[in-house]
């Protein structure tokens, strides 16, 4: 079938000059619709277009588009406007919007679009630990979010690089600590176990005693080296220091968004406060500073002063959704994943103490019975029987000594990494944040109520971070 396009003839239509502003606004809106649909389909910004990876360089705010792309959107809008006039309709210039209309500056972002976007982002593995800090995929949504867009740009410039450096340093120090702690615990337990095995070998198969002694010496040397390196380098302290710095910068980003100066137009004062707080966080370099912060803090959240200003409900609704998903829902999801990971790590080890104790008792009873049977067979002149029961008696006694050592090793591992305590703490945080998220959604667009909720969320997370620090500082660290 041969198809011949027949668009509406509009070459004779001349649009009033007053529609110039409307044309530009509609061109911007056309770009926003296109970008929103792309993001809904899983596309993200990239320096070059890549259909396979779903990357596109035009997933940026309209004012950052090349002029050629803007002209493409303008041409499409002008064709529609001319077609409307050509069909006999009239287009009147729009009235100037008041300061508090529903759509000042393009801030009328559909709440459903924010929710769809963030639900999708939360499910992406690559954003599992960065959604609250990285704002690249949210650029198209932020472009229409009023003062929030400028604030996020400033916060990223001030906080992103020092946060990334502290976060990477914390991960590196923690990885080193885990390796050294695992080596020291394993080597130390192995050395003790082999001492006990030596005693059993000496009584039953003396030829194996020399090999066991050499393995024991190697395990002991590895344990000494691991503990020595850990104590000298103080990797444990370095991990806590850098993690604390990173968390302080993360908290600063969202605490700053809840300050009234931002929403009342006092941008320079707000920026000065952010810079001061960021500098204070970057000056944390000792474990003593971390300890001092961990034991401080307000018992109750400081209620924000009611702002003496107002902002559009659309801009505030966008801000509420940004904070709710970026801070509250993301943190709740993160805490849930961490709790499940810690539960998996501890697994049956967390409850292994009682079974090992009972097995120790069984081994002792077996030893006593075997010893009696060996003596009975010896008295009856049954040498093979006496020898067999002697073996059982020796190794059941060795087992009775080995099991408590294994239990102590497990306890040392749990104390070094705190998986059970961490899981309980993460689950409590998750439940609390899910409740707060519902309140934020209910008060969406209400500035005083939103700032009130943010103050409580930030106080809660700061308090939980202090509690976590105290648990880590007081834990039975092996290194």
């Amino acid at each position: 079938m041969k198809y011949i396009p027949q668009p509406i003839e509009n070459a004779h239509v001349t649009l009033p000059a007053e529609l110039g502003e409307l044309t530009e606004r509609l061109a911007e809106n056309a770009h926003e619709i296109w970008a929103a649909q792309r993001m809904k389909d899983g596309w993200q910004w990239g320096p070059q277009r890549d259909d396979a990876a779903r990357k596109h360089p035009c997933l940026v705010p309209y004012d950052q588009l090349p002029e050629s792309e803007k002209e493409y959107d303008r041409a499409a809008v002008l064709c529609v406007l001319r077609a409307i006039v050509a069909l006999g309709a009239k287009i009147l210039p729009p009235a100037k919007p008041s300061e508090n209309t529903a759509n000042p500056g393009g801030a009328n972002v559909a709440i459903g679009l924010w929710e769809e976007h963030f639900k999708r982002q939360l499910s992406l593995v690559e954003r599992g630990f960065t959604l609250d800090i990285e704002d690249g995929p949210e650029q198209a949504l932020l472009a229409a979010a009023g003062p929030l867009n400028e604030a996020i740009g400033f916060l990223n410039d001030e906080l992103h690089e020092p946060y990334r450096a502290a976060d990477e340093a914390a991960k590196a120090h923690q990885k080193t600590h885990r390796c050294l702690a695992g080596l020291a615990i394993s080597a130390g337990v192995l050395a003790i176990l082999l001492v006990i095995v030596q005693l059993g070998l000496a009584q039953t198969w003396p030829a194996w005693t020399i090999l066991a002694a050499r393995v024991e010496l190697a395990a002991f040397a590895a344990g000494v080296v691991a503990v020595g390196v850990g104590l000298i380098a103080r990797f444990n302290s370095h991990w806590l220091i850098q993690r604390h710095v990173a968390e302080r910068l993360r908290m600063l980003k969202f605490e700053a968004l809840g300050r009234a100066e931002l929403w009342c137009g006092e941008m320079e004062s707000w920026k000065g406060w952010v810079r001061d707080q960021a500098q204070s966080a970057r000056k944390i370099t000792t474990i003593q500073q971390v300890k001092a912060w961990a034991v401080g803090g307000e018992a109750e959240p400081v209620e924000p002063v009611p702002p003496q200003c107002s902002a559009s409900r659309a801009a505030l609704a966008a801000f509420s959704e940004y904070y709710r998903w970026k801070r509250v829902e993301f943190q709740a999801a993160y805490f849930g994943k961490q709790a499940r990971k810690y539960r998996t790590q501890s697994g049956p080890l967390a409850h292994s103490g009682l079974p090992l104790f009972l097995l120790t008792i069984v081994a002792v009873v077996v030893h006593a019975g075997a010893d009696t049977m060996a003596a009975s067979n010896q008295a009856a002149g049954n040498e093979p029987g006496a020898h067999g029961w002697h073996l059982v008696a020796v190794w059941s006694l060795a087992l009775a000594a080995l099991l408590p050592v294994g239990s102590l090793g497990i306890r040392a591992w749990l104390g070094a990494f705190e998986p059970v305590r961490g899981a309980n703490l993460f689950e409590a945080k998750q439940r609390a944040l899910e409740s707060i998220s519902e309140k934020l959604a209910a008060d969406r667009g209400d500035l005083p109520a939103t700032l009130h909720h943010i103050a409580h969320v930030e106080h809660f997370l700061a308090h939980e971070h202090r509690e976590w620090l105290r648990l880590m500082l007081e834990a039975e660290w092996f290194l």
Side-chain angles (χ1 to χ4, degrees):
M1 181 182 70
K2 187 176 181 180
Y3 165 63
I4 301 177
Q6 295 182 343
I8 297 172
E9 177 60 42
N10 58 27
H12 63 286
V13 176
T14 300
L15 296 174
E18 293 86 350
L19 294 182
E21 183 177 346
L22 174 63
T23 301
E24 188 67 11
R25 181 67 190 94
L26 288 175
E28 178 180 357
N29 186 61
H31 172 70
E32 295 299 315
I33 293 173
W34 171 84
Q37 185 59 47
R38 285 279 178 163
M39 293 172 67
K40 184 176 180 180
D41 294 338
W43 285 69
Q44 297 183 11
W45 178 87
Q48 295 182 341
R49 178 164 179 168
D50 186 337
D51 291 350
R54 296 194 176 189
K55 303 284 186 181
H56 203 294
C58 290
L59 280 174
V60 296
Y62 181 77
D63 59 8
Q64 296 180 22
L65 285 175
E67 195 61 29
S68 59
E69 293 295 332
K70 291 182 181 180
E71 283 298 329
Y72 178 85
D73 291 322
R74 291 168 186 149
V77 168
L78 286 172
C79 283
V80 173
L81 293 177
R82 289 194 181 105
I84 291 173
V85 174
L87 291 173
K90 293 183 179 180
I91 303 176
L92 300 177
K96 293 292 182 181
S98 63
E99 180 182 357
N100 217 25
T101 53
N103 187 28
N108 187 20
V109 181
I111 299 304
L113 186 59
W114 283 88
E115 291 186 345
E116 287 182 14
H117 170 76
F118 280 119
K119 286 179 181 178
R120 188 183 316 110
Q121 294 297 311
L122 278 174
S123 67
L124 298 177
V125 175
E126 60 269 25
R127 300 207 72 187
F129 296 94
T130 63
L131 187 141
D132 58 340
I133 294 297
E134 301 288 348
D135 291 299
E138 285 72 58
Q139 284 183 340
L141 289 172
L142 288 169
L148 178 62
N149 189 31
E150 180 183 354
I152 294 300
F154 171 78
L155 290 171
N156 285 338
D157 291 341
E158 291 291 322
L159 306 180
H160 186 270
E161 185 55 31
Y163 169 84
R164 185 193 61 78
D167 182 59
E168 290 183 356
K171 291 177 180 177
H173 286 305
Q174 184 183 25
K175 182 178 180 180
T176 303
H177 164 69
R178 283 180 173 270
C179 291
L180 288 172
L183 174 61
I185 293 170
S186 301
V189 171
L190 180 60
I192 297 172
L193 293 177
L194 288 174
V195 169
I196 300 171
V197 170
Q198 271 187 297
L199 298 176
L201 289 174
Q203 294 291 321
T204 54
W205 297 290
W208 290 89
T209 305
I210 295 176
L211 177 61
R214 290 175 179 174
V215 175
E216 173 205 348
L217 181 61
F220 177 75
V224 170
V225 170
V227 172
V229 172
L231 291 175
I232 293 171
R234 298 187 299 175
F235 288 110
N236 173 27
S237 297
H238 286 240
W239 167 50
L240 287 178
I241 293 168
Q242 293 302 319
R243 176 49 55 204
H244 177 58
V245 172
E247 291 307 312
R248 287 284 295 275
L249 292 170
R250 186 202 303 267
M251 289 188 286
L252 175 58
K253 173 183 179 179
F254 293 99
E255 184 181 354
L257 293 177
R259 294 185 67 84
E261 302 101 291
L262 172 62
W263 300 97
C264 292
E266 302 172 22
M267 187 61 74
E268 291 307 313
S269 173
W270 178 78
K271 288 181 178 180
W273 179 85
V274 171
R275 291 191 181 100
D276 290 343
Q277 296 298 312
Q279 184 178 18
S280 176
R282 290 196 296 268
K283 288 182 178 179
I284 299 171
T285 57
T286 68
I287 196 64
Q288 287 73 25
Q289 290 173 292
V290 176
K291 290 179 179 178
W293 190 88
V295 300
E298 300 289 340
E300 296 293 335
V302 178
E303 288 293 337
V305 177
Q308 303 299 312
C309 60
S310 61
S312 73
R313 291 187 62 83
L316 289 176
F319 164 53
S320 295
E321 286 302 290
Y322 177 91
Y323 182 85
R324 185 167 77 91
W325 285 97
K326 280 273 189 174
R327 184 59 161 164
V328 183
E329 290 288 344
F330 169 73
Q331 284 292 332
Y334 168 75
F335 291 147
K337 286 187 290 187
Q338 289 299 96
R340 291 189 293 273
K341 184 183 78 172
Y342 275 37
R343 294 289 183 202
T344 301
Q345 284 182 349
S346 61
L349 295 180
H351 306 287
S352 61
L354 181 59
L356 289 177
F357 175 72
L358 294 175
L359 285 175
T360 301
I361 295 176
V362 171
V364 170
V365 171
V366 171
H367 166 74
D371 216 16
T372 301
M373 292 299 296
S376 176
N377 278 266
Q378 183 72 35
N382 184 3
E383 290 297 330
H387 178 69
W389 282 109
H390 177 67
L391 290 178
V392 174
V394 169
W395 286 107
S396 59
L397 181 61
L399 183 61
L402 291 172
L403 290 172
V405 174
S407 179
L408 287 174
I410 293 172
R411 182 177 177 183
W413 186 88
L414 293 174
F417 305 131
E418 290 294 315
V420 178
R421 265 188 207 177
N424 291 335
L425 186 60
F426 284 134
E427 287 171 351
K429 287 182 180 182
Q430 181 185 16
R431 289 191 295 270
L433 289 179
E434 287 172 349
S435 174
I436 295 174
S437 178
E438 295 176 0
K439 296 177 182 178
L440 274 166
D443 292 327
R444 180 188 299 127
D446 184 331
L447 180 58
T450 299
L451 297 186
H452 166 82
H453 293 315
I454 290 177
H456 280 257
V457 170
E458 295 308 315
H459 176 268
F460 168 76
L461 291 177
H463 176 76
E464 290 303 315
H465 181 54
R466 292 180 202 274
E467 180 64 20
W468 179 82
L469 284 175
R470 290 194 290 268
L471 287 173
M472 295 299 101
L473 291 168
E474 297 168 3
E476 297 175 352
W477 288 97
F478 189 81
L479 296 181

